[in-house]
Amino acid sequence: MRLIAFGGDERLSGALAAARARGWETLHVRAQEDAQGLGGADAVLLPWPRSFEAETLLGGSLGRGETLAAIPACRAALLGGDVRAQEVPQAGMAVLPGKDETFLLKNAALTAEGALFAAHARTGRALLGRSCLVTGFGRIGRALVARLTAMEAFVVVCARSEAQMRLAHGMGAHPVPMHALTAACAQAELVFNTVPARVLDEEALSALRGHAQVIELASAPYGADPELAQHLGVPMAIESGLPGRFAPVDAGAALFEALERAMKAEQGGEQHGGA
């Protein structure tokens, strides 16, 4: 089996290392000269979640058009979020990690671990006994709560639904509805936001203690306005995209595993259909 990766950060290096550990032959295309005479491939990796900055391949100088044209015929191509399947007709199948629940759960676990590391680094303090507020209770929120409660932090979860609040309570956290967010902020030393919407408004930010730290894990527009947080004197660390920065080797391995699962599922489907 042969895998070609185009551009990217250390995540793709991690993906290629995972592929080699499974016995795959690999090639990493980083520059225009690398894209000459590539030969065939069973699968191709583009940087995830994005593949291009404007019209240039992330991590290299290749343009969008020449990069997509250089992709050889292959069984599968793992695409960044800004590449559409129809742009890579030479791939038999487009693999979208954002639709792979196993990948998303692993990515959430890596994000949660990175968030704890960021909290230690930003505050210089342990989490044992700290009052922590987690806003949102999706995959990342659940992964965070599991780790924070295991570390004996006092954890409050602000969630939108009764089902989420019941689950948070079962995990050892103290759930409150979103309308009680300001009151929860008044008791928090650390806030981990996982909601990509402005849930931390001026009232909520103003309620934070002077020494409270916000660890922002969501993508833009973030859970709070960074300029407003700065104006109010609330420390806000934007830590979105943690897996690729905190544990790129493991994040890359997760990408390769998502690709491999999709290829095995397709092969199983073909065999079943042929039978």
Side-chain angles (χ1 to χ4, degrees):
M1 300 285 278
R2 188 166 190 257
L3 175 65
I4 300 176
F6 287 81
D9 54 21
E10 287 304 307
R11 273 176 289 200
L12 286 204
S13 297
L16 293 172
R20 288 192 294 272
R22 298 286 184 91
W24 287 53
E25 176 190 347
T26 66
L27 175 66
H28 200 170
V29 178
R30 294 184 177 90
Q32 190 167 7
E33 53 268 26
D34 300 331
Q36 308 303 315
L38 290 178
D42 294 281
V44 165
L45 288 173
L46 291 173
W48 190 89
R50 293 183 302 115
S51 294
F52 295 94
E53 187 75 54
E55 290 299 311
T56 302
L57 182 70
L58 291 177
S61 58
L62 285 167
R64 184 187 186 98
E66 58 188 341
T67 299
L68 298 178
I71 293 174
C74 55
R75 281 179 54 197
L78 186 145
L79 306 181
D82 52 357
V83 178
R84 301 183 302 277
Q86 55 265 39
E87 293 183 89
V88 192
Q90 58 271 53
M93 171 179 56
V95 179
L96 306 172
K99 297 184 179 296
D100 181 332
E101 184 65 19
T102 300
F103 169 81
L104 292 173
L105 288 172
K106 185 165 186 178
N107 207 56
L110 292 174
T111 299
E113 186 173 337
L116 301 186
F117 177 83
H120 286 302
R122 294 280 180 174
T123 66
R125 293 190 59 190
L127 291 163
L128 174 67
R130 302 288 298 284
S131 178
C132 299
L133 170 62
V134 177
T135 53
F137 202 60
R139 297 181 191 88
I140 295 173
R142 294 192 297 272
L144 260 174
V145 168
R147 285 155 179 77
L148 287 168
T149 53
M151 298 173 80
E152 299 184 46
F154 179 84
V155 184
V156 174
V157 171
C158 235
R160 293 188 182 280
S161 72
E162 288 288 340
Q164 288 179 329
M165 288 192 284
R166 284 195 297 271
L167 180 56
H169 182 266
M171 294 176 67
H174 303 270
V176 298
M178 290 300 291
H179 64 74
L181 179 57
T182 297
C185 283
Q187 304 301 318
E189 297 174 83
L190 273 166
V191 178
F192 296 91
N193 178 65
T194 70
V195 183
R198 296 285 171 86
V199 292
L200 293 162
D201 58 16
E202 183 170 359
E203 184 181 16
L205 289 174
S206 297
L208 290 170
R209 300 174 183 176
H211 59 276
Q213 169 75 57
V214 176
I215 305 292
E216 178 58 68
L217 302 175
S219 55
Y222 313 122
D225 180 346
E227 292 185 2
L228 176 61
Q230 183 178 24
H231 173 72
L232 295 172
V234 176
M236 179 177 173
I238 297 177
E239 297 287 358
S240 48
L242 266 177
R245 296 185 289 112
F246 167 71
V249 172
D250 301 287
L255 285 173
F256 173 72
E257 290 161 6
L259 172 68
E260 194 173 44
R261 274 193 300 276
M263 294 178 72
K264 287 179 178 177
E266 182 209 31
Q267 186 176 26
E270 289 176 351
Q271 290 174 348
H272 182 73

